[in-house]
Amino acid sequence: MFEETTVTHPVKNGPRHVACIMDGNGRWAAARGKPRLAGHHAGAKRCKEIVRACPDLGVTHLTIFAFSTENWRRTQSEVAGLMSLFRRYIQSEARELLAAGVRVRFIGDRVALDPKLGRLMDELELLTSKNDRLNLTIALNYGGRDEIGRATKRLAAEVAAGRLCPNDVDETVLARFLDTHVLPDPDLVVRTSGEARISNFLLWQSAYAEYEFIDTLWPDFTADRFAEAVARFGERERRFGAVTA
């Protein structure tokens, strides 16, 4: 049974965009003598709880790392189980997300995904496109380097076609070709499970993000613990390369 958050108010100076590397599902399951997919199901339930908590904390954008470009290296059974979980999640949660005012977007390379899953992703994006209470972005078959590579290919095509002058290319122009071009950069990136690495997640966008590396495994990362991480962000001084007087 998962707990409901007890935090019901926005955090002063809190982050507006939080990105989560949801790590530890497999270890959570193994510690309980369960198959890894049981951990992924538990992680999906925890994600639902945190999505519900975000608006009350003042978080307007939540980005979650669901499946990386490197995750294809896992066993065939685990990959197949994850893809089935994604399909079921989209189908079962679509109406609830719509009713809750959540706008869903997907980032990542969709080419390698099952066409049925791709259609469900398109349909959920369209269904929730008018919502604005929370912007939920799901990174699926996503890798930061892959994203930048795809962006530069599109940018190069524009230059080759004469629609873009090479001298006009700068970081602002390149950002327009990223999967996240309609999103603000994350203020806070949270990684669970005790690992202290960023694993190719939002490499460009997180240049000035604050990081929280938390020992808790994702299925045990309650909405209250999420709220604590949000509150700690409010205590940080963000200088963006400047110095205080």
Side-chain angles (χ1 to χ4, degrees):
M1 188 70 177
F2 284 28
E3 308 91 344
E4 292 289 343
T5 179
T6 58
V7 178
T8 59
H9 56 82
V11 174
K12 184 179 180 181
N13 300 321
R16 294 295 174 260
H17 185 178
V18 181
C20 294
I21 302 173
M22 307 180 294
D23 197 21
N25 293 335
R27 277 171 282 169
W28 183 91
R32 290 159 176 76
K34 297 180 179 181
R36 288 179 60 86
L37 281 174
H40 294 308
H41 281 278
K45 292 179 180 177
R46 187 62 75 194
C47 184
K48 287 176 57 178
E49 177 187 331
I50 288 174
V51 166
R52 289 196 299 268
C54 279
D56 289 338
L57 294 170
V59 174
T60 60
H61 291 74
L62 176 69
T63 299
I64 57 174
F65 204 3
F67 190 88
S68 77
T69 49
E70 291 74 34
N71 286 156
W72 295 105
R73 301 171 187 169
R74 297 187 178 185
T75 65
Q76 185 177 357
S77 61
E78 183 173 356
V79 170
L82 281 166
M83 294 302 160
S84 177
L85 174 62
F86 297 146
R87 289 193 296 271
R88 290 203 302 273
Y89 179 86
I90 292 173
Q91 291 172 313
S92 65
E93 301 301 321
R95 293 296 168 184
E96 183 175 336
L97 290 165
L98 177 64
V102 178
R103 178 170 187 171
V104 180
R105 295 180 176 90
F106 292 91
I107 58 173
D109 186 359
R110 304 190 190 193
V111 174
L113 298 176
D114 175 74
K116 180 179 179 181
L117 175 58
R119 288 193 296 272
L120 289 171
M121 292 160 62
D122 291 340
E123 290 168 3
L124 184 58
E125 286 181 324
L126 180 61
L127 178 69
T128 62
S129 62
K130 303 299 183 183
N131 285 352
D132 60 5
R133 188 164 186 252
L134 174 68
N135 290 271
L136 172 63
T137 303
I138 302 172
L140 188 53
N141 194 29
Y142 174 86
R145 289 181 173 180
D146 176 75
E147 177 192 26
I148 294 169
R150 290 185 286 106
T152 54
K153 285 181 182 179
R154 291 193 292 269
L155 189 154
E158 291 296 297
V159 171
R163 292 188 290 267
L164 183 63
C165 176
N167 291 334
D168 292 335
V169 176
D170 57 16
E171 61 183 75
T172 301
V173 171
L174 177 57
R176 297 206 304 261
F177 291 85
L178 296 173
D179 296 352
T180 55
H181 64 279
V182 298
L183 302 173
D185 288 343
D187 302 301
L188 172 65
V189 179
V190 174
R191 182 178 186 140
T192 57
S193 87
E195 303 291 353
R197 57 181 178 270
I198 59 177
S199 294
N200 199 20
F201 182 50
L202 299 178
L203 298 179
W204 178 280
Q205 299 86 344
S206 298
Y208 284 100
E210 300 289 327
Y211 277 82
E212 282 265 352
F213 296 106
I214 295 171
D215 290 338
T216 307
L217 301 177
W218 178 258
D220 291 326
F221 187 61
T222 65
D224 278 335
R225 292 186 180 182
F226 177 79
E228 291 168 1
V230 168
R232 285 192 294 271
F233 174 91
E235 299 170 357
R236 298 188 183 194
E237 181 183 8
R238 305 182 76 200
R239 296 187 297 274
F240 301 98
V243 294
T244 55

